Amino acid sequence: MTSEEHDGLQKSRRRMVIIRSISVLVILFFLQGGVAYGTLQLFLALPANWTGIIDDADIERDAHQGTVYMIDRAIASEPLKKPSDVLQELQPHFHFRLTYIEKPDHFSDEVQEQFKSYDLAYDDEDDHIYAKLQSGGYLKLGPLITTDINDANASAIFVLLALLTIVNAVLFFAILYFAFSTLWREARAIRLTANALGEGNLTARVPKIRSEPLKMIGHVINDMATRLELLVGHSRTMMHAMAHEFRTPLARLRFGLSMLEDSDPEEKKKLYAGIDKDIDELEQLIKISLDYFRMNNKNMPTKLENVHIKRWAENIIDDLSLLKPKGFEVSYNIANVDSSIDPKLAAMAFRNIILNAFKYARSKVYIHVYKQDDALIFEFDDDGPGVAESAREEIFSPFFRLDNDKSGSHEGYGVGLSFVRAIAELHHGSAFVLSSRLGGARFVMRFGL
């Protein structure tokens, strides 16, 4: 992807974020409006003894009782005039209409019910006051100027709900932003790390995650990246080492084949023998390389068994006694414990370290095996020249050989310790080397339990 395409993609993503944010605000606007209106209606529907709000009918009756009384007195004081004429004379002094009704034929059920208890009745459907007059007729006042939000015009309700909704939506959005901004940034960091790993940057790691829902995901991705980096590193090391090790037998093969044509029968016989030896060496190198890749496959199944460690280790030491150099001392202190290990793989690692001691140590090796916390620890101390700090990591690389082999034979391919580390890692552990109290090296192999 070119830089222009990358910038265009970033701008497109920012536009989508803005559009989504505006969409969320609009949706919140309508949702909050609906919630506010529904809440208002529910509140008004509650009984007055719950809310403390006086019923509209009681308020209007009390508010207009004096007005009705004065109008009734005015009508009664002029018996020669029609009640409707008196009301017409009084009309300029009122902001609502005054109407005289002779018969209550069109009164609603609510008004008729109120007349059973009061001389005044309020109809909240049309905002009118109805009153019984001394003359026998009825007075109608209204429509009244209402203070009830439900009876206000639609624009007033819309303005109220709009203000309430905007304030709530902005506050809610701000709360959501501050509550989830950290979560959003951390989720974006995880995505960027995953993209970087997908593009081949195996050094990419998720930064420290604080949000609990994402913390585990960050740990999993970092662990996966570390395993991938180790696996790829091992593979690269192995490929370089293989290229180096294969070069020698291949060169000998090429030289031998070039000499065959001009050689006499006796020389050909020697050349064929050399070619067979080089082919055997190549086969052995291929087998060792395949074994190494198999060992470094962390998904390789281990056949764990409950093993009595003391008896198992002593059997291995006894089997190796025939290979022990003359005058070489092997001493040990092995805990009398049981542990769950793969006995065959563990035995391979155990033998490799002891055979290295036979090869490099001067006269002795001391083996200490014990349990500590959640691990089974193997320690091999020898009195050899030790391992320089600069080489303590490199010796676990495949095909690496130390130059201080006391025999001077340089036999082997230098993969034994790489197998040791791989086997330890298959047991959820590790392998490393330190300085020994005997003056040489201390190889430590740790198996997780």
Side-chain angles (χ1 to χ4, degrees):
M1 180 184 295
T2 64
S3 59
E4 291 80 5
E5 291 175 340
H6 183 269
D7 292 340
L9 182 60
Q10 292 297 322
K11 290 180 181 178
S12 176
R13 287 175 177 171
R14 283 196 290 270
R15 283 196 297 270
M16 289 302 299
V17 169
I18 294 172
I19 292 172
R20 282 198 297 265
S21 300
I22 294 174
S23 301
V24 169
L25 278 175
V26 171
I27 293 171
L28 285 174
F29 179 86
F30 285 105
L31 285 177
Q32 288 286 336
V35 169
Y37 184 76
T39 303
L40 177 63
Q41 295 301 318
L42 179 62
F43 178 77
L44 294 174
L46 294 174
N49 59 345
W50 287 16
T51 62
I53 298 177
I54 302 173
D55 188 71
D56 290 344
D58 294 334
I59 294 174
E60 297 297 338
R61 282 197 304 267
D62 291 343
H64 293 88
Q65 188 172 4
T67 302
V68 171
Y69 174 76
M70 296 300 295
I71 294 173
D72 194 13
R73 285 285 302 273
I75 293 174
S77 66
E78 299 190 51
L80 299 178
K81 289 185 179 180
K82 293 181 180 180
S84 58
D85 293 337
V86 176
L87 294 179
Q88 188 173 358
E89 293 176 358
L90 296 174
Q91 182 63 63
H93 303 287
F94 294 89
H95 290 289
F96 47 79
R97 186 168 182 77
L98 307 179
T99 307
Y100 179 75
I101 300 175
E102 292 186 0
K103 296 180 180 180
D105 297 336
H106 65 287
F107 288 171
S108 65
D109 294 340
E110 181 182 359
V111 170
Q112 294 179 21
E113 186 66 28
Q114 292 181 53
F115 274 138
K116 292 179 181 180
S117 304
Y118 309 100
D119 290 332
L120 273 72
Y122 172 70
D123 189 349
D124 61 359
E125 293 294 330
D126 56 6
D127 289 320
H128 285 78
I129 287 285
Y130 297 91
K132 295 178 181 179
L133 298 176
Q134 294 179 9
S135 62
Y138 292 87
L139 176 64
K140 178 181 178 182
L141 308 180
L144 305 176
I145 299 174
T146 182
T147 57
D148 189 347
I149 188 64
N150 281 318
D151 296 329
N153 56 47
S155 62
I157 296 177
F158 177 79
V159 170
L160 174 66
L161 292 178
L163 288 173
L164 181 63
T165 299
I166 290 172
V167 172
N168 283 343
V170 171
L171 288 176
F172 186 64
F173 185 82
I175 292 171
L176 281 179
Y177 176 80
F178 286 110
F180 293 100
S181 59
T182 301
L183 191 68
W184 172 261
R185 285 196 300 270
E186 292 177 344
R188 186 171 179 271
I190 290 175
R191 185 188 66 185
L192 292 175
T193 303
N195 290 339
L197 290 172
E199 292 171 358
N201 180 13
L202 299 182
T203 61
R205 294 293 184 273
V206 177
K208 186 176 181 180
I209 300 295
R210 300 183 183 275
S211 303
E212 197 59 38
L214 299 178
K215 187 179 293 184
M216 185 178 296
I217 298 175
H219 288 322
V220 169
I221 290 179
N222 284 343
D223 290 344
M224 178 192 69
T226 299
R227 289 196 298 270
L228 282 173
E229 190 175 18
L230 286 173
L231 183 60
V232 171
H234 286 168
S235 299
R236 287 173 179 168
T237 302
M238 187 64 179
M239 285 189 290
H240 290 308
M242 286 172 61
H244 179 270
E245 292 295 324
F246 275 59
R247 189 178 296 117
T248 301
L250 284 173
R252 289 199 303 262
L253 273 174
R254 187 178 293 109
F255 177 77
L257 290 171
S258 66
M259 294 292 292
L260 278 175
E261 187 175 349
D262 299 327
S263 302
D264 56 41
E266 187 64 28
E267 289 175 339
K268 284 184 179 180
K269 186 177 180 181
K270 291 180 180 179
L271 289 171
Y272 279 129
I275 290 172
D276 286 339
K277 184 179 179 181
D278 291 334
I279 291 174
D280 289 340
E281 185 175 347
L282 284 173
E283 288 179 346
Q284 186 67 15
L285 282 169
I286 291 171
K287 179 181 182 302
I288 289 172
S289 302
L290 293 175
D291 287 343
Y292 176 82
F293 283 120
R294 183 173 62 89
M295 290 290 183
N296 277 278
N297 180 9
K298 301 304 181 292
N299 294 320
M300 173 185 173
T302 52
K303 299 178 181 178
L304 298 179
E305 299 178 18
N306 193 43
V307 174
H308 187 269
I309 298 300
K310 185 177 178 65
R311 186 167 52 248
W312 168 83
E314 287 177 343
N315 288 337
I316 297 173
I317 294 170
D318 289 342
D319 291 342
L320 294 175
S321 60
L322 295 175
L323 301 176
K324 183 176 63 172
K326 186 177 180 181
F328 199 93
E329 177 188 347
V330 178
S331 58
Y332 52 82
N333 178 15
I334 300 173
N336 192 20
V337 295
D338 291 340
S339 186
S340 181
I341 62 173
D342 186 318
K344 292 183 179 179
L345 289 178
M348 182 188 297
F350 198 91
R351 280 194 297 267
N352 266 308
I353 298 179
I354 295 177
L355 289 173
N356 265 357
F358 290 169
K359 189 174 181 181
Y360 292 100
R362 293 187 179 90
S363 61
K364 67 174 73 172
V365 62
Y366 173 72
I367 304 166
H368 186 199
V369 183
Y370 59 96
K371 274 189 176 181
Q372 184 182 67
D373 297 330
D374 59 346
L376 181 65
I377 310 295
F378 300 82
E379 293 178 351
F380 303 83
D381 287 275
D382 64 53
D383 62 347
V387 180
E389 289 191 16
S390 59
R392 288 182 180 178
E393 186 63 27
E394 196 174 6
I395 61 170
F396 291 98
S397 300
F399 302 114
F400 178 82
R401 299 183 185 89
L402 289 172
D403 295 330
N404 51 4
D405 181 354
K406 68 181 182 182
S407 67
S409 62
H410 297 289
E411 293 179 355
Y413 295 100
V415 295
L417 289 178
S418 66
F419 282 178
V420 168
R421 173 166 283 183
I423 291 168
E425 290 175 351
L426 285 171
H427 284 82
H428 308 288
S430 58
F432 51 93
V433 62
L434 304 169
S435 296
S436 169
R437 56 187 175 83
L438 298 180
R442 170 180 287 183
F443 285 89
V444 181
M445 185 168 61
R446 179 184 178 277
F447 286 2
L449 300 179

